[in-house]
Amino acid sequence: MNIQEAINHPDSTILDVRREDEFEEGHVPNSINIPLHDIPDNIDRIKKMSTPLVLCCKSGGRSGQALLLLKSQGLSELQNGGGYTDVLKLKK
């Protein structure tokens, strides 16, 4: 599944890992905000989210870190969507 298919999949979850103040300035509609530093404390919550799980941030760096962390915890069906504006452009 490519990134556009993952973003637009009916069961996908968009997880924005930016800080709360960044998220409030703009985000993908219906996305969930869990800042990168809070990911380790929310693994069980994230494991319950519907997949595919598309991670985003400002430019793709933090979402890439989150992806590696989540993979190390056994999660699959993950995609790094890059910046949230990139995800917005691909969302239909």
Side-chain angles (χ1 to χ4, degrees):
M1 176 178 310
N2 68 36
I3 188 65
Q4 186 166 11
E5 291 169 338
I7 290 168
N8 292 294
H9 191 281
D11 296 328
S12 72
T13 300
I14 309 295
L15 179 58
D16 192 318
V17 299
R18 295 177 296 150
R19 295 185 322 263
E20 293 167 3
D21 61 311
E22 292 176 288
F23 183 78
E24 289 172 7
E25 290 175 7
H27 57 271
V28 177
N30 301 314
S31 61
I32 297 169
N33 179 228
I34 301 176
L36 178 61
H37 67 272
D38 290 335
I39 296 287
D41 294 330
N42 286 279
I43 297 294
D44 290 336
R45 176 181 172 202
I46 296 168
K47 284 182 176 181
K48 294 175 184 173
M49 293 178 179
S50 61
T51 57
L53 187 61
V54 179
L55 305 162
C56 66
C57 59
K58 184 175 181 178
S59 65
R62 287 176 280 182
S63 53
Q65 292 176 42
L67 184 130
L68 293 175
L69 175 61
L70 293 171
K71 278 188 174 184
S72 76
Q73 296 296 312
L75 279 85
S76 59
E77 293 191 65
L78 304 169
Q79 294 266 359
N80 183 352
Y84 83 95
T85 56
D86 299 322
V87 174
L88 272 173
K89 289 176 189 171
L90 294 174
K91 188 120 175 96
K92 295 181 179 181

